[in-house]
Amino acid sequence: MANRDRVRFNVGGQLFETTSTTLANAGRESMLGALLDESWNPGQPEYFIDRNPACFSTLLDLLRTGALHIPSNVPEKLLYREALYYGLLDHVRGAKWGPFDGNTLRLADSVPGRAPGDGTAIRGAPDGGCCVAHGSVVHVYNWMLEERRPISLDYQQVNDVGYIDANSIVITARERLGKGDGGMAVFSAATGELRHRFRVEHGRQPKSFTAGALSLAGLDDHRIFSSCKGRLNEYGIGVWDHNTGQQVDFFYEHPGCSLGDADKLQWLPSKNCLMVATLFPRTDNCFIGLLDLRDKSIPWCWSDAGITMNLEDKRVLHAIAMEDGHSICVINQYDDLGFIDLRAGNTNSAGTGVRWSSRSKLMNQKVPYEESCYPKLATHNGQLFSCMNDSISVFSGSEHVLTSTLRRSYGGSICDFSIGGDRLFALHNEENVFDVWDSPPCPII
Amino acid sequence: MNSQSQSQSQSQRRKNFKIEAFKHKVELDPKYAERTWKVLEHAIHEIYNNNASRLSFEELYRSAYNMVLHKYGDKLYSGLVATMTAHLNKIAKSVESAQGGLFLEKLNHKWADHNKALQMIRDILMYMDRSYVPTSHKTPVHELGLNLWRDHIIHSPNIQARLQDTLLDLVQRERTGDVINRGLMRNITKMLMDLGSSVYQDDFEKPFLDVSASFYSGESQQFIECCDCGSYLKKAERRLNEEMERVSHYLDAKTEVKITSAVEREMIANHMQRLVHMDNSGLVNMLIDDKYDDLSRMYSLFKRVPEGLSTIRDVMTSYLRERGRVLVTDTERLKDPVEFVQCLLNEKDKHDKIISTAFNNDKTFQNALNSSFEYFINLNNRSPEFISLYLDDKLRKGLKGASEEEVEVVLDKVMMLFRYLQEKDVFEKYYKQHLAKRLLSGKTVSDDAERSMIVKLKTECGYQFTSKLEGMFTDMKTSEDTMLDFYAKQSAELGDGPTLAVQILTTGSWPTQLTAACNLPPEILTVCEKFRTYYLGTHSGRRLTWQTNMGTADIKATFGKGHKHELNVSTYQMCVLMLFNSADGLTYREIEQATEIPALDLKRCLQSLACVKGKNVLRKEPMSKDISEEDVFYFNDKFTSKFVKVKIGTVVAQKESEPEKQETRQRVEEDRKPQIEAAIVRIMKSRRVLDHNSIVAEVTKQLQSRFLPNPVVIKKRIESLIEREFLERDKADRKLYRYLA
C-alpha cells in the first residue's frame, strides 16, 4: 500500500519522491492532478517533467505543508510562472499572506508609480490586487503586483474607482462640457476593456452626467451608488444594479444638502440607509446625512452650518460610518478623531454633535504643513484606520485605542489608502509610490 | 527553451544587429508551431479512438503550454475546434446509422466516449484554458465541447427530431404499461440537461409537456364517462404519482412542477364541477356515506388546482345548509327537544370527523361548517329553548354516573351549539328557568357539572350573563345554612310537626312568577309562620313571599289493608291530598275553593293524582283523561304500588305550551329594550353625532354576542330616547342624531 502511494518525479534532471496523498492537495484541476488521473495511464515508475527543479521543490513543499517558503535563489516571478504552469497559482496566493489584522501588518512591497501628477485614489481588489487612479488613467495591478493594461479614459478625469469583483472595476468620471461623456462604467481588470456603461435617465431621457463618489452595497445586494451631477440640475444619488446594468433609482437632492458633490458614500446594511458625506462643498455647508431610498427621506443628518470658519477651527475632512452602525467617525486637520452618534436624532445645531477626542493636544498641536494631504479613514473588522501625513494609525477595540502606526521612510504624505483582499494599500503623494501591507501567514506554532 | 529556438534567435540577432542592437525578439521556427500542433492533433485523434495509453501527458501538456506561451493560442484553439468538429461529424454519422431501438444506446455510448475524451483534451489544454481563454473571450474547452456536441449531434437534422420522437415514444409506452430502460432514459435526459437548460427545455421538456397534456386530456375524458367519482380520483391520483415518480427517475427535478400542473389541469381542474356533482358518487354522497378515503383524496387533489378547495367547500356548505334546514324545520323532530339537539350534535360530530380525517383540519372548512350551523340553527327560533332543554335533560339524569371528563365533553359540545345562537339572551331566559327547577327540586345530577356549565357560559359571554345564575347557587347555599340554624335554635318549640325546608330566593335572581300563594294546610302554616318570625327576626327589613307553586312535599299515607306508602308530591298536590284527611270525596269546586290553587295548575295537579296509572291515589268520577269542573274526586282506597316510596310527578308539558312560549318571548323582548337603549346611549355619548344607519350598525355589533337586535326595534328605542330627551334630531339633517348631555 505504501509503495503504491509513492510517486517519483524527475524534474529537470533532479529526482523527487512524494506521495499521491500530497499531490492530491493540488486538486484535479491542476497539471499534477491530471497527470495522476487514471485516464492518463498512471502508475509509471517515474514521471519526467521538463521544468525548473528548484521551483518544483518549493511548490512541492507548499503542497506538503500548506506554507510557502521561497528560497533566496529563486526569483519570486519565476516561482509564480512555474506555479501558473502547474495550475497552482491560487495555492501560492493563499499561502503568501494571512488573514488581515491591522496590528500585525508588515510591508510586503513598495511599487514605484509611473504616472505623473497626484494620485486620485487607490483601491484594493478582493483577490489582493489593486488599482490606482491618476488623472484620466487607472493603473491596474494583479495580486502579484504585475501591472496589467491600464484603463485609459481619454482625458476624462477619474473621480472614484471600486471593485465589483476581482475582475471588474467600476470607474466614475467627470463629464467634459459638450462631449456627452463622463459618467460611470465597468471595465475588465484583466484586459482593461470597457464592459458596460451605466446610464442615468431623467424623464426617460438618457442624460450625460458627472459621477463622483462611489459605493457598493455588498455581497448579496447588487446595487451601486454614485453621486451625480447632470447639466440640468439633475443633482443627487444614482442607484444601479450591477447585475443587470440598469438604473434602479435616483435620489434627487433636497435643498440644503448637496448630494451631487458628495465626497463619500457608504451603504449601511444595518440601517438600510446610505451615508452621504459632502465635506468640500462649493457653496453650502459641510453635510453628512443618512438617506432612506425607499421613501426618499433623510432620517438623520448633521451639518456644520453656523460655525465661523477660521483656518484654525476644527473642520471635518473625512467621515466613515462605524461598522456597528451606531456612530459616524470623522477626522479633522489636526488628526483628531471625532464621533457623531447616529442614535441621537437630528443634530442640525452648529456641529455640536461631534465628540472630538483630544489627541491633537497630545501630539502638540502640530500644524499641518502645506503640502500635506487631507486625512482619510477606513474600518475593517472592528479596527479603525486613519492616514495623516506619511503614516497610518490603527485603532483597536471599542474605545478605539491607538495600537499600531504604519510608516515608511520615503514617499511623502499618503493621499489615499484602501483595504481589500486582506491587504492594505497606501498611495504616497510625492513619489507616486504605493505600499502594500499584509499580515504574515499563521506562525509555525 | 530548446536549442533550436536559441539558434534561431542568434541568427535573428546577427541579421538585425545594426538596427536593434539590444532588443532581440525571440522568433520561433514557423514550422515549430505547425509541428507542435500536429502532435497535439494526433493526440486528440488517439483520444477519440481510445488509444490514449500510448500518449505522454507531460509532453502534450508542455507542447500546449509552449504554443500558448509563444502566442500560438489562436492556432491551438481554432485547431481544437476544427478537429473536434470533424470527430463529432463522424460520430453523428454513426449515430444516425443506428437501427431502431439501438439509436439511443448508440447515442448514449458515444456521449460517454465524448465526455471522457473531452476531459482528457481539457487536461492537455489546461494551461490554455487558464491563460489564453479568459483574455481572448473564448469559450472554455469543456463548454466548447458541449456546445459542439449540441450543434453537431443533438441539433443535426437527422438526429434532432428522431431523438425527440424516441424519447416521447418511450414515455408513452411506459404510460401504457410497458417496462422501458429507465437508466438509458436517465442518461439521455441528463445529457440534454448538461448541454444547458434551454436544450433540455426546447428539445425535450416543451414537447413532452404538450404530448402529456393531450394524452391526459383524452384519458380524463374517457375516465369521466365510465367511472364514478371515487374511482376517477383514484386513477387521477395514480397518474399524478406516476408522473412524479417518472421525474424522480429520469427527468430534471424542475420538470415536476410543470408536468404535475399539466396533469392537474387536464385531469382535475377541467372536470372539477362534474366530479363534485357526479350522480350517486359525488361529494354529497361521499359526505353522507363518510367516505374518508375518497374525501381525503379529493381534498389533496383539488388542493393542487386553483379554486379547487373553494369548489369542495361551496358544495359542502350548500349541502350542510340544506340538510340543516330540513333538520331544524322537521315537525316530527320538534316534538322531542332532546332528540332534536342530539341530532344536531351528531351532525356536527360527523362533519368534524370528516374535516379532521379527510380535510386535513383545514381552517377554512371548519369556518364553513361553523357558518352553516350558525345559519340553520337560527332558522328555528326555538333552538335556544331546545338547547337549554337538552342541557336540562342531561343535568337531571342523562349524565348520571358519567365521569368528570365525559360531563365536560357533553357540556363543551353544547357550548359549541350555543355559540351558533344569535339569541343568546333567549337561551339565558330558558336556562334560568330550567336551572331554577333543577335547583329547587334538588334534581340536579351534580353540582360540579352545573358550576362547570356556568363557568363556560361566563367565559363565553362575560360576567353579566351569569351573575344571576350564580346568585341562584348562592341562595341555595345560604338557605341550607339558614335551615340548619333554624332547626338548631327552634327544635324544642317545633316538636313533632312536619319538617320544613325553605329555600330563600333573592327576588330578581330567579325566574319567579307573581302568583298568589295557595291556602296551606294548618299544620304546615304553623311551621311556616314560625320560620317567618325566625327569619325576619335575624334579617330585618326583608319581605318573604311564599312561592307555593314551586315547592315539594313528602307525605305518608295509609291505604286500604294497611298499605303504607310515602308519597313524593308537589306543594299543590300536598294541599289537595291533605283535604282528604277529613273527607272521602270532594268536588272540583270544593277543592278549588279550599286550596285557591290557580285553575290551570289545579287541573294539572289533579290529573297527575287521579289519571296516571300506578300513581292514582285519587279516584275520579267520571273516569276520563281530562279534568272538568264537574268532576268528583275520592280517596282511592285500593291504591297499591310495589314501591314504598311513590313519586307523583306533575303532568307538565316539558316543552312550553303555546301561551307560555308567547309569554317568554314577550319577556325577552321587554328585557332587550333597556339593553338596546343602553347601547345607543353608550355609543352616542362617545360619538356625540351619528346618522341612523351607523347607530344601527354599531348597536348590532355591540349586542351580537347576546342577540341580534331587530332594526325596527332599535328605531323605536331611538324614538323613545328622543322623547325622553337623551337624543335629538339634527335641525338640518333629519337623519342625524345628537346626544344631549
Side-chain angles (χ1 to χ4, degrees), chain B residues 9-252:
Chain B
S9 69
Q10 277 160 7
S11 70
Q12 194 87 47
R13 213 188 298 166
R14 273 196 295 276
K15 206 170 141 193
N16 296 330
F17 186 69
K18 278 170 193 162
I19 309 160
E20 293 175 314
F22 53 86
K23 187 186 171 194
H24 61 281
K25 198 172 176 187
V26 180
E27 276 287 344
L28 288 170
D29 173 6
K31 283 182 190 150
Y32 164 81
E34 194 53 41
R35 244 183 306 128
T36 314
W37 166 241
K38 283 287 171 230
V39 171
L40 289 167
E41 189 187 25
H42 173 72
I44 294 174
H45 287 309
E46 293 295 84
I47 287 170
Y48 268 109
N49 294 333
N50 284 322
N51 277 334
S53 56
R54 275 177 289 160
L55 300 173
S56 157
F57 173 74
E58 193 274 339
E59 186 194 335
L60 295 169
Y61 186 90
R62 181 157 37 88
S63 305
Y65 172 82
N66 282 333
M67 279 190 80
V68 174
L69 195 68
H70 297 299
K71 310 283 179 233
Y72 290 109
D74 280 332
K75 183 177 176 61
L76 181 58
Y77 194 88
S78 56
L80 169 70
V81 172
T83 312
M84 209 186 266
T85 305
H87 272 281
L88 288 175
N89 284 330
K90 251 190 275 172
I91 290 173
K93 289 272 178 313
S94 120
V95 172
E96 281 162 24
S97 67
Q99 295 300 309
L102 294 175
F103 170 70
L104 276 194
E105 300 266 5
K106 188 89 174 179
L107 182 64
N108 182 35
H109 181 65
K110 290 290 178 191
W111 166 245
D113 283 354
H114 176 65
N115 264 326
K116 186 154 183 284
L118 193 56
Q119 170 69 37
M120 292 177 80
I121 293 167
R122 203 205 98 99
D123 283 347
I124 300 172
L125 302 178
M126 200 181 275
Y127 187 82
M128 179 185 85
D129 240 2
R130 235 184 257 286
S131 54
Y132 168 78
V133 165
T135 52
S136 53
H137 306 289
K138 292 286 198 275
T139 313
V141 174
H142 183 75
E143 208 184 321
L144 172 76
L146 297 183
N147 291 351
L148 291 176
W149 176 270
R150 177 192 64 204
D151 298 341
H152 295 280
I153 309 285
I154 300 306
H155 289 170
S156 134
N158 292 327
I159 291 179
Q160 191 166 22
R162 189 173 167 194
L163 174 61
Q164 201 186 90
D165 292 346
T166 311
L167 293 176
L168 295 180
D169 180 54
L170 282 172
V171 172
Q172 178 61 22
R173 273 168 48 196
E174 198 180 39
R175 279 192 186 130
T176 51
D178 284 4
V179 176
I180 62 162
N181 185 347
R182 286 185 156 183
L184 181 59
M185 273 298 265
R186 170 153 199 81
N187 288 349
I188 299 295
T189 52
K190 175 85 169 30
M191 169 187 80
L192 295 176
M193 288 180 247
D194 286 349
L195 296 177
S197 56
S198 69
V199 176
Y200 173 78
Q201 282 162 12
D202 297 343
D203 286 273
F204 174 72
E205 196 185 49
K206 279 194 193 108
F208 166 70
L209 292 175
D210 290 346
V211 164
S212 304
S214 67
F215 171 76
Y216 284 118
S217 160
E219 188 176 79
S220 65
Q221 203 58 51
Q222 189 191 329
F223 284 167
I224 203 147
E225 295 302 339
C226 63
C227 297
D228 62 16
C229 181
S231 51
Y232 181 96
L233 292 175
K234 270 193 200 109
K235 288 190 157 89
E237 187 184 44
R238 206 184 64 221
R239 281 305 195 189
L240 206 55
N241 289 337
E242 276 172 16
E243 290 303 328
M244 288 193 266
E245 196 206 20
R246 183 179 340 279
V247 171
S248 74
H249 275 106
Y250 56 79
L251 300 181
D252 184 9

Side-chain angles (χ1 to χ4, degrees), chain A residues 235-393:
Chain A
Y235 280 40
I237 305 293
V239 187
W240 296 265
D241 185 312
H242 66 67
N243 250 8
T244 65
Q246 298 304 307
Q247 183 186 351
V248 291
D249 208 347
F250 198 89
F251 192 110
Y252 286 95
E253 197 166 284
H254 294 203
C257 46
S258 34
L259 303 180
D261 282 318
D263 300 289
K264 166 90 185 167
L265 304 183
Q266 189 182 354
W267 176 250
L268 308 183
S270 64
K271 292 215 173 294
N272 213 342
C273 279
L274 183 73
M275 184 199 79
V276 177
T278 309
L279 305 166
F280 306 102
R282 269 183 283 177
T283 49
D284 299 322
N285 291 96
C286 178
F287 165 85
I288 302 174
L290 296 187
L291 313 187
D292 191 327
L293 294 156
R294 291 163 298 185
D295 59 358
K296 301 285 179 293
S297 67
I298 302 185
W300 181 94
C301 70
W302 173 92
S303 143
D304 68 353
I307 303 181
T308 43
M309 270 300 171
N310 287 326
L311 268 176
E312 306 291 306
D313 283 335
K314 289 176 175 178
R315 281 177 301 147
V316 171
L317 297 175
H318 200 236
I320 189 163
M322 299 304 287
E323 284 160 328
D324 59 10
H326 293 328
S327 57
I328 286 177
C329 178
V330 294
I331 191 162
N332 65 12
Q333 69 271 39
Y334 304 111
D335 205 10
D336 293 332
L337 293 181
F339 291 91
I340 314 176
D341 199 332
L342 279 177
R343 291 164 296 185
N346 270 20
T347 358
N348 272 323
S349 52
T352 47
V354 183
R355 183 165 48 81
W356 291 107
S357 70
S358 53
R359 207 152 70 92
S360 55
K361 281 176 200 157
L362 294 172
M363 296 181 78
N364 211 9
Q365 283 280 6
K366 193 167 65 181
V367 179
Y369 42 93
E370 298 238 326
E371 279 165 53
S372 73
C373 298
Y374 288 124
K376 295 260 168 72
L377 294 165
T379 58
H380 191 276
N381 268 352
Q383 292 176 327
L384 178 65
F385 300 79
S386 80
C387 72
M388 185 71 181
N389 301 330
D390 61 347
S391 68
I392 292 174
S393 307

Side-chain angles (χ1 to χ4, degrees), chain B residues 169-403:
Chain B
D169 180 54
L170 282 172
V171 172
Q172 178 61 22
R173 273 168 48 196
E174 198 180 39
R175 279 192 186 130
T176 51
D178 284 4
V179 176
I180 62 162
N181 185 347
R182 286 185 156 183
L184 181 59
M185 273 298 265
R186 170 153 199 81
N187 288 349
I188 299 295
T189 52
K190 175 85 169 30
M191 169 187 80
L192 295 176
M193 288 180 247
D194 286 349
L195 296 177
S197 56
S198 69
V199 176
Y200 173 78
Q201 282 162 12
D202 297 343
D203 286 273
F204 174 72
E205 196 185 49
K206 279 194 193 108
F208 166 70
L209 292 175
D210 290 346
V211 164
S212 304
S214 67
F215 171 76
Y216 284 118
S217 160
E219 188 176 79
S220 65
Q221 203 58 51
Q222 189 191 329
F223 284 167
I224 203 147
E225 295 302 339
C226 63
C227 297
D228 62 16
C229 181
S231 51
Y232 181 96
L233 292 175
K234 270 193 200 109
K235 288 190 157 89
E237 187 184 44
R238 206 184 64 221
R239 281 305 195 189
L240 206 55
N241 289 337
E242 276 172 16
E243 290 303 328
M244 288 193 266
E245 196 206 20
R246 183 179 340 279
V247 171
S248 74
H249 275 106
Y250 56 79
L251 300 181
D252 184 9
K254 287 196 212 75
T255 306
E256 184 174 308
V257 190
K258 300 176 194 169
I259 182 64
T260 50
S261 80
V263 179
E264 286 154 9
R265 189 181 61 242
E266 297 301 336
M267 296 205 83
I268 301 163
N270 288 351
H271 301 291
M272 227 155 36
Q273 289 300 331
R274 184 147 172 205
L275 282 170
V276 291
H277 292 119
M278 208 175 249
D279 287 343
N280 302 322
S281 68
L283 176 57
V284 169
N285 291 80
M286 290 180 183
L287 290 171
I288 291 173
D289 300 338
D290 291 326
K291 297 237 164 129
Y292 298 123
D293 287 346
D294 287 343
L295 287 167
S296 157
R297 192 169 293 118
M298 180 181 270
Y299 177 85
S300 58
L301 289 174
F302 278 42
K303 192 181 181 182
R304 309 179 71 103
V305 302
E307 313 282 312
L309 290 189
S310 62
T311 306
I312 300 184
R313 217 162 40 230
D314 293 348
V315 172
M316 184 185 85
T317 306
S318 60
Y319 157 72
L320 280 175
R321 287 185 174 213
E322 180 50 27
R323 180 169 165 76
R325 195 186 60 75
V326 170
L327 215 67
V328 299
T329 50
D330 181 354
T331 43
E332 271 310 300
R333 254 180 236 287
L334 293 181
K335 288 183 180 157
D336 186 350
V338 176
E339 187 56 34
F340 173 88
V341 174
Q342 190 58 52
C343 198
L344 293 182
L345 287 175
N346 292 347
E347 199 69 4
K348 178 75 167 55
D349 279 348
K350 172 188 164 84
H351 291 100
D352 272 343
K353 190 163 178 219
I354 287 175
I355 289 175
S356 68
T357 34
F359 295 159
N360 194 28
N361 255 332
D362 192 317
K363 262 271 172 320
T364 60
F365 279 69
Q366 287 171 357
N367 292 344
L369 179 65
N370 289 338
S371 79
S372 305
F373 266 80
E374 198 176 322
Y375 162 79
F376 66 71
I377 276 193
N378 291 299
L379 284 180
N380 184 341
N381 62 8
R382 303 196 68 177
S383 293
E385 181 192 350
F386 285 5
I387 292 173
S388 178
L389 279 172
Y390 178 81
L391 272 175
D392 189 52
D393 178 69
K394 288 290 167 202
L395 290 168
R396 270 175 196 272
K397 54 187 185 226
L399 290 171
K400 201 165 273 176
S403 73

Side-chain angles (χ1 to χ4, degrees), chain B residues 625-642:
Chain B
K625 283 260 168 188
D626 294 312
I627 308 293
S628 79
E629 297 188 358
E630 279 70 43
D631 288 349
V632 186
F633 296 87
Y634 300 95
F635 178 67
N636 183 9
D637 204 32
K638 296 191 181 93
F639 173 79
T640 54
S641 171
K642 46 186 168 175

Side-chain angles (χ1 to χ4, degrees), chain A residues 403-418:
Chain A
T403 48
S404 297
T405 305
L406 313 176
R407 181 180 282 125
R408 225 178 52 108
S409 49
Y410 68 94
S413 59
I414 295 168
C415 61
D416 194 18
F417 74 102
S418 163

